[in-house]
Amino acid sequence: LIIDVRGNAAGDVEEAITSADELLTSGLITSLKGQHVEAKTWQADRNTAYDGEVEVLTDGSTASGAEIFAAAIHGNQRGKVVGVTTYGKSIVQRFVPLQSGGGVFMTVAHYTTPDLKPIKSGGLRPDVMVDMTALALRDPDKGTKAAKPREDLILQKALQLFNEQPAVKKAA
Amino acid sequence: VTDAIDEFSYYVPPAQMAAYKSFSDVEDNGVGLIVTKRFGYAFVIAPVAGSPAAKSGIERGDFIEKIDGQPTQKMAVWQVRNLLRSGKPMHVQVLRGGQTKRDDSRSSRPRFTPSPSPRSSLAAWHTSAFRTSRKGPQRSWPPHSKTFARAALAS
């Protein structure tokens, strides 16, 4: 099963957490930490919708709930994350009024990976990084309508990894 | 000071509070641009797949220099999001990494006009999301993701 969360940068975090839970039978999915916010953790329950092999595709636009999902799969060794480092925006923000009459909308908490590292600036590094620079060099004309559809290097890599897996088992 | 917290935090001066109170900060603004601020400019985290922004050629990593001629440099991110969800056709000028000339390429000045009448379900989504900004983008975690995932896996 390949789950593509590239370009997924918004939406309901709780839905991302329950989706990760569908693929996990144990372990920490994520936790929420902040100085003035009640700490929270989400543990996977024993029920699962699918127990086969999983890969998750990420890119620089993978943010928020999608990062939590990818981190949960990655951190619990449930499957490989393939692609590019994610954006780093799994945070909770709140408006804090000031005496002046104005206010500050600020980050007050962050979600973590299963090993309790914050998913903030810098993002989540995939298990298998796909180098996209070659593609950019090959296609300097990107963005114009005449340009050919670009190859999906990340998906190609993910499929290649799936195909390699039986061979590895045989060798073992 | 807010810049020192992170790129997602911002200050609202007292004079802007009235406008700010009428703004509800949803990540997706209907045109499909999920933005933050970087180096003073509005910065595209993601164009939602299939959205007017994605169709117009805007890419992840683009800097939005101007919206309808107004520079984003002096705006807080909520003001940028507020402009983007105005519901009117707009002209967005972007600056893309590696390009030094600003008007030498068509793609550096995408125009987009959200579809006013729903023709397909996707168009309906754009229109409804654009008008109300309440319905989430397709490429995200919509409600009942778990149910969809179970149904997809069962088939």
Side-chain angles (χ1 to χ4, degrees):
Chain A
L1 178 67
I2 296 179
I3 302 162
D4 188 354
V5 293
R6 292 175 294 174
N8 184 333
D12 192 333
V13 168
E14 287 281 348
E15 292 293 342
I17 292 170
T18 50
S19 299
D21 193 8
E22 285 298 288
L23 297 168
L24 293 166
T25 50
S26 66
L28 184 70
I29 297 170
T30 186
S31 68
L32 183 66
K33 277 188 181 173
Q35 272 189 323
H36 302 286
V37 173
E38 200 186 336
K40 255 177 118 176
T41 57
W42 288 264
Q43 292 285 342
D45 65 26
R46 293 184 68 184
N47 300 324
T48 182
Y50 178 75
D51 59 6
E53 282 171 30
V54 171
E55 283 175 17
V56 181
L57 311 187
T58 60
D59 68 4
S61 288
T62 302
S64 194
E67 285 174 307
I68 296 169
F69 176 84
I73 300 301
H74 167 89
N76 288 293
Q77 282 91 48
R78 177 66 183 84
K80 282 202 171 83
V81 175
V82 183
V84 177
T85 302
T86 64
Y87 193 81
K89 189 187 176 278
S90 297
I91 52 170
V92 174
Q93 294 185 284
R94 193 168 291 164
F95 185 77
V96 181
L98 297 176
Q99 278 192 337
S100 65
V104 177
F105 186 71
M106 61 186 280
T107 304
V108 291
H110 59 259
Y111 289 92
T112 72
T113 61
D115 60 349
L116 304 178
K117 292 197 180 103
I119 310 173
K120 285 201 293 191
S121 46
L124 175 80
R125 214 183 130 83
D127 298 279
V128 181
M129 285 282 268
V130 178
D131 187 358
M132 306 297 281
T133 46
L135 199 61
L137 290 174
R138 217 182 301 158
D139 184 17
D141 207 23
K142 66 172 186 171
T144 57
K145 277 184 184 164
K148 277 182 247 168
R150 278 175 276 170
E151 292 171 79
D152 191 341
L153 291 184
I154 294 175
L155 181 60
Q156 283 173 17
K157 185 72 195 173
L159 291 170
Q160 186 198 330
L161 287 169
F162 263 122
N163 294 332
E164 278 172 5
Q165 267 156 5
V168 173
K169 273 181 194 160
K170 265 180 225 162
Chain B
V1 173
T2 52
D3 284 352
I5 302 172
D6 59 24
E7 66 186 60
F8 314 113
S9 302
Y10 51 82
Y11 169 63
V12 184
Q16 290 174 4
M17 275 308 287
Y20 183 71
K21 276 180 184 158
S22 65
F23 163 71
S24 70
D25 199 358
V26 284
E27 277 172 310
D28 180 42
N29 35 42
V31 292
L33 272 178
I34 297 169
V35 294
T36 181
K37 281 206 88 175
R38 267 198 189 176
F39 310 119
Y41 287 103
F43 177 80
V44 178
I45 299 177
V48 177
S51 68
K55 282 180 190 162
S56 77
I58 291 185
E59 293 183 6
R60 167 176 68 84
D62 284 348
F63 287 94
I64 301 174
E65 198 176 18
K66 286 177 182 173
I67 300 167
D68 284 335
Q70 296 185 56
T72 64
Q73 247 187 324
K74 285 177 184 163
M75 295 179 206
V77 70
W78 72 271
Q79 290 171 311
V80 174
R81 291 189 189 144
N82 207 20
L83 269 184
L84 290 173
R85 58 198 286 255
S86 67
K88 294 173 198 141
M90 61 187 78
H91 180 198
V92 175
Q93 185 176 320
V94 304
L95 197 58
R96 188 159 293 165
Q99 287 179 357
T100 45
K101 280 189 197 167
R102 286 168 201 207
D103 22 2
D104 60 346
S105 144
R106 261 177 303 156
S107 64
S108 72
R109 285 172 176 266
R111 275 171 194 279
F112 56 79
T113 308
S115 160
S117 60
R119 248 177 285 160
S120 64
S121 60
L122 193 63
W125 164 65
H126 290 322
T127 313
S128 63
F130 195 77
R131 281 202 189 125
T132 66
S133 294
R134 295 236 179 262
K135 210 169 168 190
Q138 297 264 303
R139 206 180 170 91
S140 71
W141 298 103
H144 314 299
S145 294
K146 184 174 154 179
T147 322
F148 288 132
R150 276 191 176 277
L153 288 165
S155 65

